Short mmCIF file of all heavy atoms in Angstrom, two decimals:
data_model
loop_
_atom_site.label_atom_id
_atom_site.label_comp_id
_atom_site.label_asym_id
_atom_site.label_seq_id
_atom_site.Cartn_x
_atom_site.Cartn_y
_atom_site.Cartn_z
N LYS A 236 22.33 55.55 -4.73
CA LYS A 236 23.77 55.45 -4.90
C LYS A 236 24.32 54.47 -3.88
O LYS A 236 23.95 54.54 -2.70
CB LYS A 236 24.40 56.83 -4.70
CG LYS A 236 25.71 57.02 -5.41
CD LYS A 236 26.20 58.45 -5.26
CE LYS A 236 27.11 58.56 -4.07
NZ LYS A 236 27.46 59.91 -3.69
N GLN A 237 25.18 53.57 -4.33
CA GLN A 237 25.76 52.65 -3.36
C GLN A 237 26.85 53.36 -2.56
O GLN A 237 27.66 54.11 -3.11
CB GLN A 237 26.36 51.45 -4.08
CG GLN A 237 26.91 50.43 -3.10
CD GLN A 237 27.09 49.06 -3.70
OE1 GLN A 237 27.50 48.92 -4.83
NE2 GLN A 237 26.77 48.04 -2.94
N MET A 238 26.85 53.12 -1.26
CA MET A 238 27.86 53.73 -0.39
C MET A 238 28.86 52.70 0.09
O MET A 238 30.00 53.02 0.40
CB MET A 238 27.19 54.38 0.83
CG MET A 238 26.12 55.40 0.48
SD MET A 238 26.74 56.69 -0.59
CE MET A 238 27.60 57.70 0.60
N ALA A 239 28.42 51.45 0.23
CA ALA A 239 29.33 50.39 0.68
C ALA A 239 28.81 49.07 0.15
O ALA A 239 27.60 48.86 0.06
CB ALA A 239 29.39 50.36 2.20
N GLN A 240 29.74 48.17 -0.22
CA GLN A 240 29.29 46.90 -0.78
C GLN A 240 29.51 45.73 0.18
O GLN A 240 29.34 44.58 -0.18
CB GLN A 240 29.95 46.63 -2.12
CG GLN A 240 31.46 46.49 -2.03
CD GLN A 240 32.06 46.13 -3.37
OE1 GLN A 240 31.47 46.36 -4.40
NE2 GLN A 240 33.24 45.56 -3.35
N GLY A 241 29.91 46.03 1.39
CA GLY A 241 29.99 44.97 2.38
C GLY A 241 31.38 44.45 2.63
O GLY A 241 31.59 43.64 3.52
N SER A 242 32.33 44.87 1.82
CA SER A 242 33.72 44.49 2.10
C SER A 242 34.63 45.53 1.50
O SER A 242 34.34 46.08 0.44
CB SER A 242 34.03 43.12 1.51
OG SER A 242 33.94 43.17 0.11
N MET A 243 35.74 45.80 2.18
CA MET A 243 36.64 46.82 1.67
C MET A 243 37.58 46.24 0.61
O MET A 243 38.08 46.96 -0.24
CB MET A 243 37.44 47.44 2.82
CG MET A 243 36.58 48.24 3.78
SD MET A 243 35.68 49.56 2.97
CE MET A 243 36.99 50.76 2.74
N GLY A 244 37.87 44.95 0.71
CA GLY A 244 38.67 44.30 -0.33
C GLY A 244 37.72 43.80 -1.39
O GLY A 244 36.53 44.03 -1.36
N GLY A 245 38.26 43.08 -2.35
CA GLY A 245 37.41 42.51 -3.39
C GLY A 245 36.75 41.25 -2.89
O GLY A 245 36.97 40.79 -1.77
N SER A 246 35.87 40.71 -3.70
CA SER A 246 35.24 39.44 -3.38
C SER A 246 35.05 38.69 -4.69
O SER A 246 35.33 39.23 -5.76
CB SER A 246 33.90 39.67 -2.68
OG SER A 246 33.03 40.36 -3.55
N PHE A 247 34.56 37.49 -4.59
CA PHE A 247 34.25 36.72 -5.80
C PHE A 247 33.35 37.54 -6.72
O PHE A 247 33.54 37.55 -7.94
CB PHE A 247 33.56 35.41 -5.41
CG PHE A 247 33.11 34.58 -6.58
CD1 PHE A 247 34.03 33.88 -7.34
CD2 PHE A 247 31.77 34.50 -6.92
CE1 PHE A 247 33.62 33.11 -8.42
CE2 PHE A 247 31.35 33.74 -8.00
CZ PHE A 247 32.28 33.05 -8.74
N ASN A 248 32.43 38.27 -6.12
CA ASN A 248 31.48 39.06 -6.90
C ASN A 248 32.14 40.18 -7.69
O ASN A 248 31.65 40.59 -8.73
CB ASN A 248 30.42 39.67 -5.97
CG ASN A 248 29.74 38.62 -5.16
OD1 ASN A 248 30.34 38.07 -4.24
ND2 ASN A 248 28.52 38.30 -5.47
N THR A 249 33.24 40.71 -7.17
CA THR A 249 33.90 41.80 -7.90
C THR A 249 34.89 41.24 -8.92
O THR A 249 35.29 41.95 -9.83
CB THR A 249 34.64 42.75 -6.95
OG1 THR A 249 35.63 42.00 -6.23
CG2 THR A 249 33.71 43.40 -5.98
N ARG A 250 35.28 39.97 -8.77
CA ARG A 250 36.25 39.40 -9.71
C ARG A 250 35.59 38.67 -10.87
O ARG A 250 36.04 38.78 -12.01
CB ARG A 250 37.18 38.42 -8.98
CG ARG A 250 38.12 39.08 -7.99
CD ARG A 250 39.10 38.07 -7.43
NE ARG A 250 38.45 37.08 -6.58
CZ ARG A 250 38.32 37.21 -5.27
NH1 ARG A 250 38.78 38.28 -4.66
NH2 ARG A 250 37.73 36.27 -4.55
N GLU A 251 34.53 37.93 -10.59
CA GLU A 251 33.98 37.04 -11.61
C GLU A 251 33.12 37.77 -12.64
O GLU A 251 33.03 37.34 -13.78
CB GLU A 251 33.15 35.94 -10.92
CG GLU A 251 32.53 34.91 -11.86
CD GLU A 251 33.56 33.98 -12.50
OE1 GLU A 251 34.74 34.03 -12.11
OE2 GLU A 251 33.18 33.23 -13.41
N TYR A 252 32.51 38.87 -12.24
CA TYR A 252 31.50 39.46 -13.12
C TYR A 252 31.95 40.77 -13.77
O TYR A 252 31.20 41.38 -14.51
CB TYR A 252 30.21 39.72 -12.34
CG TYR A 252 29.67 38.50 -11.63
CD1 TYR A 252 30.04 38.20 -10.32
CD2 TYR A 252 28.80 37.63 -12.27
CE1 TYR A 252 29.55 37.09 -9.68
CE2 TYR A 252 28.30 36.52 -11.63
CZ TYR A 252 28.68 36.26 -10.33
OH TYR A 252 28.18 35.15 -9.69
N PHE A 253 33.16 41.22 -13.45
CA PHE A 253 33.65 42.46 -14.05
C PHE A 253 34.89 42.13 -14.88
O PHE A 253 35.76 41.38 -14.43
CB PHE A 253 34.03 43.46 -12.96
CG PHE A 253 32.85 43.98 -12.18
CD1 PHE A 253 32.42 43.33 -11.03
CD2 PHE A 253 32.16 45.11 -12.61
CE1 PHE A 253 31.32 43.81 -10.31
CE2 PHE A 253 31.07 45.59 -11.89
CZ PHE A 253 30.66 44.94 -10.74
N HIS A 254 34.98 42.70 -16.08
CA HIS A 254 36.16 42.41 -16.89
C HIS A 254 37.36 43.25 -16.44
O HIS A 254 38.50 42.90 -16.71
CB HIS A 254 35.87 42.61 -18.37
CG HIS A 254 35.23 43.92 -18.70
ND1 HIS A 254 35.92 45.09 -18.67
CD2 HIS A 254 33.96 44.24 -19.04
CE1 HIS A 254 35.11 46.08 -18.99
NE2 HIS A 254 33.91 45.60 -19.21
N GLY A 255 37.08 44.36 -15.75
CA GLY A 255 38.17 45.14 -15.19
C GLY A 255 38.94 45.97 -16.20
O GLY A 255 39.90 46.64 -15.84
N ALA A 256 38.55 45.91 -17.47
CA ALA A 256 39.27 46.68 -18.49
C ALA A 256 38.58 48.02 -18.71
O ALA A 256 37.41 48.19 -18.37
CB ALA A 256 39.33 45.90 -19.79
N LYS A 257 39.34 48.95 -19.28
CA LYS A 257 38.75 50.25 -19.56
C LYS A 257 37.75 50.12 -20.71
O LYS A 257 37.93 49.29 -21.61
CB LYS A 257 39.85 51.23 -19.96
CG LYS A 257 40.59 51.82 -18.78
CD LYS A 257 41.54 52.90 -19.26
CE LYS A 257 42.41 53.38 -18.10
NZ LYS A 257 43.70 53.86 -18.57
N ALA A 258 36.76 50.99 -20.71
CA ALA A 258 35.74 50.95 -21.77
C ALA A 258 36.39 51.14 -23.14
O ALA A 258 35.99 50.51 -24.12
CB ALA A 258 34.70 52.03 -21.52
N SER A 259 37.43 51.98 -23.18
CA SER A 259 38.08 52.24 -24.47
C SER A 259 38.80 50.98 -24.96
O SER A 259 38.82 50.69 -26.16
CB SER A 259 39.09 53.38 -24.33
OG SER A 259 40.01 53.07 -23.30
N PHE A 260 39.34 50.19 -24.01
CA PHE A 260 40.03 48.95 -24.40
C PHE A 260 39.02 47.95 -24.96
O PHE A 260 39.26 47.34 -26.01
CB PHE A 260 40.75 48.36 -23.18
CG PHE A 260 41.46 47.07 -23.48
CD1 PHE A 260 42.66 47.07 -24.16
CD2 PHE A 260 40.93 45.85 -23.08
CE1 PHE A 260 43.32 45.89 -24.45
CE2 PHE A 260 41.57 44.66 -23.37
CZ PHE A 260 42.78 44.68 -24.06
#
Side-chain angles (χ1 to χ4, degrees):
Chain A
K236 205 175 93 190
Q237 184 161 39
M238 305 304 281
Q240 62 176 22
S242 64
M243 293 303 283
S246 62
F247 176 74
N248 305 72
T249 60
R250 292 186 293 268
E251 181 69 9
Y252 306 91
F253 292 91
H254 50 73
K257 279 187 187 152
S259 56
F260 179 76

